[in-house]
Amino acid sequence: MVEIVRGGCGFTLLIRPGAVLQRLGVPTDGRSCVVARVLGCRHLVQAIVLLIWPARRIQIVGAGVDVLHGASMVGLAILDPEGSIYSFSPL
């Protein structure tokens, strides 16, 4: 079930990044839309992989990817305090 929701979110970010960013209150400039599309692609690929191979090891790797993404957002917030609000948006 989680994979289907993740895939849906990823697909939405790929096809309508501006609408998602606007709904979250994030500026919809070109850079933000590209970043949202990359994140959407990651979510979609991760969801597809977990649907095809639901093995425990693959789930652990997926969780590791999520942890790395979260850590990178914390790092971005530290390096760019002005943009930190975007680092903590639930994309």
Side-chain angles (χ1 to χ4, degrees), residues 5-90:
V5 173
R6 179 189 298 270
C9 290
F11 183 74
T12 303
L13 280 170
L14 272 173
I15 63 168
R16 299 284 311 251
V20 174
L21 294 174
Q22 189 175 33
R23 181 88 171 152
L24 292 171
V26 177
T28 57
D29 59 5
R31 180 179 175 200
S32 296
C33 286
V34 168
V35 170
R37 279 197 166 111
V38 169
L39 182 59
C41 183
R42 181 194 61 100
H43 278 302
L44 190 56
V45 168
Q46 190 172 348
I48 291 168
V49 168
L50 286 171
L51 282 170
I52 293 172
W53 296 292
R56 182 84 173 134
R57 184 180 341 154
I58 301 299
Q59 291 173 341
I60 291 170
V61 170
V65 169
D66 291 336
V67 167
L68 288 173
H69 176 245
S72 71
M73 292 299 97
V74 170
L76 179 61
I78 291 168
L79 293 174
D80 185 13
E82 302 257 335
S84 65
I85 189 168
Y86 310 124
S87 301
F88 290 103
S89 66

